[in-house]
Amino acid sequence: MSHTAHIRSHRKPRRSASSLAMRAGVAGGVLSTLAVAGASGSANAAEPVTQTLELPTLTADLAAQAAQSADATQQAAANYQLQAERDAAAAKAAKQAKADLAEAKQKAAEAKKKAEEAARKAAAERASRNAERTTLAATTSAGTSTSGSTATGSAAAVVAFVKAQIGKAYVSGATGPSAYDCSGLVQTAFKQVGISLPRVSQDQSTAGTQVSLSNLQPGDILYWGSAGSAYHVAVYVGDGMFVGAQNPSSGVGEHPLSYDPPSGAVRVL
């Protein structure tokens, strides 16, 4: 016997094949479990990737909303500006309307003042003319020279001429021999006695010496309107009568002074 035979060997006992197989199976199971866990962990780790893929969609939506908000803000600003411009235009129009109204009122006041002045002037002229008519009527009824005077010399020739034209037509601008206007008849009548008178009534009313209507003589020139701006003339023929080319409807005719009382008279003979 060996001197070492009684000492146990320190070498590990040899494992059997079944034990190894069992251990291999356990190891395989553990590895399988780890593989499944790894797969599960991989699956769980993929979730953030999915969320990361959704971020561009969220970012695009936010960008679209931001763009819409910017458009709305810009539109609101444009609306405010348009309203401000409209308000400014309305204020300007109101100011101009106020100025126009004030100007219109001023013009209306001026026109009213002028109308009142014209009315007063017309009333004064009517009053003056009525006074002259009253004076003429009084002197005629009293038997003064206007009620019964006899023409002599050149005056008689003028009176005879105008009476000879009674019944002829009135034509504006005519000076005879078949038709006359008022100043044409007077001018032609005085031309018979060698006196050259102006052509129109305005000038004929200042061609001689102004005489009172209460002191008329045959051959005096009667005028209607103001001296220098008369609108009608005729010839006084005596006995309170005058001959003139009145208008197209009556032609040349003889009428009493009361038919259309004159405003004044001038004497050239």
Side-chain angles (χ1 to χ4, degrees), residues 5 31 89 94 115 162 195 214 219 227 233:
L31 290 176
V162 295
I195 296 177
S214 62
V233 289

Side-chain angles (χ1 to χ4, degrees), residues 42-57:
S42 298
N44 292 333
E47 290 180 0
V49 175
T50 303
Q51 293 176 356
T52 303
L53 291 176
E54 292 177 357
L55 286 178
T57 303

Side-chain angles (χ1 to χ4, degrees), residues 52-163:
T52 303
L53 291 176
E54 292 177 357
L55 286 178
T57 303
L58 295 175
T59 303
D61 292 341
L62 291 174
Q65 292 177 3
Q68 291 178 357
S69 178
D71 291 342
T73 302
Q74 184 176 3
Q75 184 62 42
N79 291 338
Y80 289 146
Q81 182 178 0
L82 179 60
Q83 186 62 41
E85 292 175 353
R86 289 177 177 175
D87 292 343
K92 183 178 180 181
K95 183 178 180 181
Q96 185 62 42
K98 185 177 180 180
D100 292 343
L101 179 61
E103 183 179 359
K105 288 182 177 179
Q106 182 179 359
K107 289 183 177 180
E110 292 176 354
K112 182 179 179 180
K113 183 178 179 180
K114 289 181 179 179
E116 290 175 349
E117 291 177 355
R120 285 195 296 269
K121 184 177 180 181
E125 290 179 353
R126 285 195 300 269
S128 177
R129 188 168 180 178
N130 290 336
E132 291 176 351
R133 289 178 179 177
T134 301
T135 302
L136 181 61
T139 55
T140 300
S141 62
T144 60
S145 59
T146 58
S147 62
S149 59
T150 302
T152 59
S154 297
V158 171
V159 170
F161 178 83
V162 295
K163 284 188 174 184

